[in-house]
Amino acid sequence: QVQLVESGGGLVQPGGSLRLSCAASGIIFRIYAMGWYRQAPGKQRELVADITSGYSTNYADSVKGRFTISRDNAKNTVYLQMNSLKPEDTAVYYCNAARLAVMGPSDYWGQGTQVTVSS
């Protein structure tokens, strides 16, 4: 059984910070690329940031310089540190685990956590 559980979402004022966590079980965590996606009402799900098994990172242009993705393989956990939050960051944030193998791609998702940026 694969399980990805997000936590750390909530309500924050513009300019504030949040740290999201995603704890994984049921996978060999260290060999998976991990990512954070978000989806706002009426909009498509978009990639926010990801980090490979080799610790290479990638960010959406809209969050560069404000968000930082990291992983702790000993804890089977990926984090998203979000600083200088803006109202347009409001969305449900989803954790993703992905890898390629002989059988084809594997792709798993968490249940999502709500982030609301508002005064």
Side-chain angles (χ1 to χ4, degrees), residues 9 19 24 46 50 52 56 59 63 71 73 77 83 90 102 114:
R19 189 176 78 156
E46 65 174 348
D50 59 21
T52 70
S56 177
Y59 298 92
V63 307
R71 66 190 296 159
N73 289 346
T77 300
N83 299 325
T90 296
V102 170
Q114 177 71 49

Side-chain angles (χ1 to χ4, degrees), residues 31-102:
I31 68 174
Y32 277 76
M34 302 298 299
W36 288 98
Y37 292 71
R38 67 186 181 189
Q39 188 167 24
K43 296 184 179 180
Q44 292 185 326
R45 188 173 297 188
E46 65 174 348
L47 176 68
V48 177
D50 59 21
I51 182 166
T52 70
S53 60
Y55 297 93
S56 177
T57 59
N58 177 62
Y59 298 92
D61 288 342
S62 59
V63 307
K64 285 180 180 176
R66 300 189 297 122
F67 291 9
T68 302
I69 190 170
S70 61
R71 66 190 296 159
D72 186 339
N73 289 346
K75 297 181 179 179
N76 285 2
T77 300
V78 63
Y79 305 95
L80 185 68
Q81 178 66 48
M82 304 187 294
N83 299 325
S84 302
L85 283 161
K86 304 175 180 179
E88 50 262 46
D89 296 318
T90 296
V92 178
Y93 284 70
Y94 297 91
C95 179
N96 172 262
R99 81 178 194 100
L100 291 176
V102 170

Side-chain angles (χ1 to χ4, degrees), residues 8-19:
L11 175 65
V12 66
Q13 293 186 341
S17 297
L18 285 173
R19 189 176 78 156

